[in-house]
Amino acid sequence: MHTTLRSRTSTVVIGHDQPFCIIGERINPTGRKAFAEELRGGDLSTVTADALAQVAAGADMLDVNAGIPLVDESELLAAMLRTVAEATDVPICIDSSVIEALEAGLAVYEGKALVNSVTGEDERLEEILPLVARHGAAVIGLANDETGIPETPQQRLDIARKIVSAAGDHGIGPEDVVIDPLAMTVGAATDAVTITLETISLIRDELGVNMCLGASNVSFGLPRRHQLGSAFLPMAMAAGLTSAIMSCAEEVVSSVRAADLLLGHDEWGARWIAVHREREAAKAAAAS
Amino acid sequence: MHTTLRSRTSTVVIGHDQPFCIIGERINPTGRKAFAEELRGGDLSTVTADALAQVAAGADMLDVNAGIPLVDESELLAAMLRTVAEATDVPICIDSSVIEALEAGLAVYEGKALVNSVTGEDERLEEILPLVARHGAAVIGLANDETGIPETPQQRLDIARKIVSAAGDHGIGPEDVVIDPLAMTVGAATDAVTITLETISLIRDELGVNMCLGASNVSFGLPRRHQLGSAFLPMAMAAGLTSAIMSCAEEVVSSVRAADLLLGHDEWGARWIAVHREREAAKAAAAS
């Protein structure tokens, strides 16, 4: 199953037979105090810088979030989306929990966006899916609902199935529903990652839809987070994860591209070898 | 199921509920011309150095191989095993395709060794299993036989089952048979790793025995091999691999310990955090 996202000029395809889709997580003021202050003052220069840096580091798409307390999120999100679209041509994941902000974002977005996100809660489904359908977008569906975050893979699958079904009722095909199997922090629960991996396998086998998760969650509160992300993503990819909102740190991106090769999504290692040669050439140029 | 290996003074337990068992691959003259020449001349200093370096880098066990053309492998292997046992106290994986060398190695080894290896070939089983049983050792069983290396996970499982059964006939329990699911190079076959991963899952589900593979094979002929190993091992561990004969390069060892944490084999990240603190302390000491 292929989920196709578009900017004005470029296309990204997420699929189980495709290289992994890296969605840069950085354009998000949550936990970034200085960035939040800049945005509050109308300074979008870091948005541009972060967009360029993440794409240079290997991002296939960018997540854009404008959630700052006491700020008009609709207006800010629209401005940030325009800024990112001027800086880069990758498709965008429009990230907000506020319906009006998603609406404002979709109104200014040129292309086919990924809406982040809906949950399995009836009210959220009824509010967000019509918006997604009207704009011909795709949507991330979180595998939690009114009862919270389910502990078992089977319960998460049940919610995923409900979201796919509700989307269908609104004319959104399963190819435009990207399920988030939920990655919790392993520092708080020893079985957090094994539950996520089992959920991914189950959703792949039962629903066959694409999946996306926030990969940095797993290492929250632990040291050497990039190293943990680098070990987590290949596991999740082998289980069937097809995209992630994640750090674009060099070692994490390299780990994803290594896993692409190992899983047969980089035939004969052509991309891997090309990146290696570029680096060697850059090193040689720097040394001469 | 627990496979227990012992040196004279220390014990290692391999199991699905245990941290991954890292077996250092380095003490092997194959493809190491200078090392082979040293060994041929009776110089075992690199054996000592490699043993110490690998244990310092995190090896739980060491593989020792003495295969050099036109050299008395029995004599050399016995000498190398004695040298390693003097330098370190980790259990050893005695690695040879020559029965007499395995016999000589087992004769000098103090503890419970891992014999590397037997295959599913009738003749090899009848030669090697009595030796393993007589010395109370454990054995690695390669999932190939007279017909070569099977392409499908099911065929590899069938051979693994045959080896476990033959071992039982010789009084060797399944806990002392460690199956090698075979890792081929992904540069030669795009589906090499996915077949290995499926084989690992299948053997875990059907036989429940421990498994060990030569992890460096997968990246043969490709650039940035440590990075590929770092992505491969977490995938294989999530599928059920419990040990590997592998590089002890820092990034590969770190990746395995990260995967231990993620898979719930390092509760609350105690080991991960302790290693981090040691490094920080070492850095601070170096800077002061």
Side-chain angles (χ1 to χ4, degrees), chain A residues 119-120 125 129 141-145 153-169 172 174 177-180 199 202-209:
Chain A
T119 67
L125 289 165
L129 293 177
L142 271 61
N144 60 284
D145 64 10
Q154 184 62 47
Q155 290 168 312
R156 294 187 191 180
L157 169 67
D158 292 343
I159 296 175
R161 201 190 298 277
K162 174 184 174 182
I163 296 171
V164 170
S165 164
D169 295 342
I172 303 163
V177 181
V178 177
I179 295 295
D180 184 333
T199 304
L202 198 59
I203 290 175
R204 180 193 55 190
D205 293 348
E206 298 289 321
L207 302 179
V209 295

Side-chain angles (χ1 to χ4, degrees), chain B residues 215-266:
Chain B
S216 298
N217 286 355
V218 297
S219 60
F220 187 77
L222 289 163
R224 304 179 70 214
R225 296 187 65 183
H226 291 332
Q227 183 74 62
L228 291 167
S230 299
F232 172 67
L233 283 160
M235 292 178 175
M237 291 166 67
L241 189 73
T242 50
S243 67
I245 298 172
M246 55 181 272
S247 162
C248 293
E250 195 273 329
E251 68 184 292
V252 190
V253 171
S254 274
S255 178
V256 165
R257 294 306 168 217
D260 274 338
L261 197 176
L262 296 170
L263 294 172
H265 299 149
D266 176 9

Side-chain angles (χ1 to χ4, degrees), chain B:
Chain B
M1 207 171 302
H2 285 173
T3 306
T4 303
L5 290 318
R6 279 186 298 272
S7 67
R8 202 169 43 182
T9 52
S10 81
T11 298
V12 163
V13 177
I14 306 177
H16 290 279
D17 60 352
Q18 299 289 311
F20 195 73
C21 177
I22 295 177
I23 306 175
E25 71 182 358
R26 188 96 179 113
I27 305 178
N28 187 330
T30 313
R32 294 181 72 187
K33 213 173 159 184
F35 183 43
E37 282 314 303
E38 283 177 21
L39 293 175
R40 202 188 283 277
D43 174 2
L44 299 185
S45 57
T46 299
V47 173
T48 301
D50 284 348
L52 291 170
Q54 290 181 101
V55 171
D60 300 302
M61 291 181 56
L62 297 174
D63 188 80
V64 177
N65 178 301
I68 304 175
L70 307 176
V71 163
D72 180 343
E73 192 172 328
S74 299
E75 196 184 331
L76 179 58
L77 183 59
M80 288 168 72
L81 289 171
R82 276 194 216 97
T83 302
V84 172
E86 277 163 30
T88 76
D89 72 342
V90 298
I92 292 177
C93 185
I94 303 179
D95 182 359
S96 176
S97 54
V98 177
I99 314 282
E100 294 71 25
L102 290 177
E103 192 143 27
L106 284 164
V108 301
Y109 186 74
E110 296 183 71
K112 179 178 173 186
L114 182 58
V115 171
N116 182 9
S117 56
V118 71
T119 67
E121 296 164 283
D122 291 323
E123 199 184 317
R124 299 290 290 173
L125 289 166
E126 287 314 309
E127 283 175 334
I128 291 169
L129 293 177
L131 189 61
V132 171
R134 197 159 63 242
H135 288 273
V139 66
I140 295 178
L142 271 61
N144 59 282
D145 64 10
E146 292 85 353
T147 63
I149 291 172
E151 284 193 20
T152 71
Q154 184 62 48
Q155 290 167 312
R156 293 186 192 180
L157 169 67
D158 292 343
I159 296 175
R161 200 189 298 276
K162 175 185 173 181
I163 295 171
V164 170
S165 164
D169 295 342
H170 288 275
I172 303 163
E175 71 281 2
D176 282 330
V177 180
V178 177
I179 295 295
D180 184 335
L182 306 178
M184 314 306 291
T185 173
V186 75
T190 302
D191 59 357
V193 169
T194 51
I195 289 172
T196 297
L197 294 176
E198 284 170 32
T199 304
I200 293 169
S201 301
L202 198 60
I203 289 175
R204 179 193 55 189
D205 293 347
E206 298 289 322
L207 302 180
V209 295
N210 283 306
M211 283 172 269
C212 180
L213 51 68
S216 298
N217 286 355
V218 297
S219 60
F220 187 77
L222 289 163
R224 304 179 70 214
R225 296 187 65 183
H226 291 332
Q227 183 74 62
L228 291 167
S230 299
F232 172 67
L233 283 160
M235 292 178 175
M237 291 166 67
L241 189 73
T242 50
S243 67
I245 298 172
M246 55 181 272
S247 162
C248 293
E250 195 273 329
E251 68 184 292
V252 190
V253 171
S254 274
S255 178
V256 165
R257 294 306 168 217
D260 274 338
L261 197 176
L262 296 170
L263 294 172
H265 299 149
D266 176 9
E267 226 165 333
W268 314 119
R271 180 177 185 169
W272 184 256
I273 293 168
V275 168
H276 175 68
R277 289 196 179 140
E278 274 169 37
R279 285 160 173 246
E280 294 296 302
K283 257 194 254 172
S288 71

Side-chain angles (χ1 to χ4, degrees), chain A residues 192-220:
Chain A
V193 169
T194 51
I195 288 172
T196 297
L197 295 176
E198 283 169 34
T199 304
I200 294 170
S201 301
L202 198 59
I203 290 175
R204 180 193 55 190
D205 293 348
E206 298 289 321
L207 302 179
V209 295
N210 283 306
M211 282 171 271
C212 180
L213 52 68
S216 299
N217 287 355
V218 296
S219 60
F220 187 78

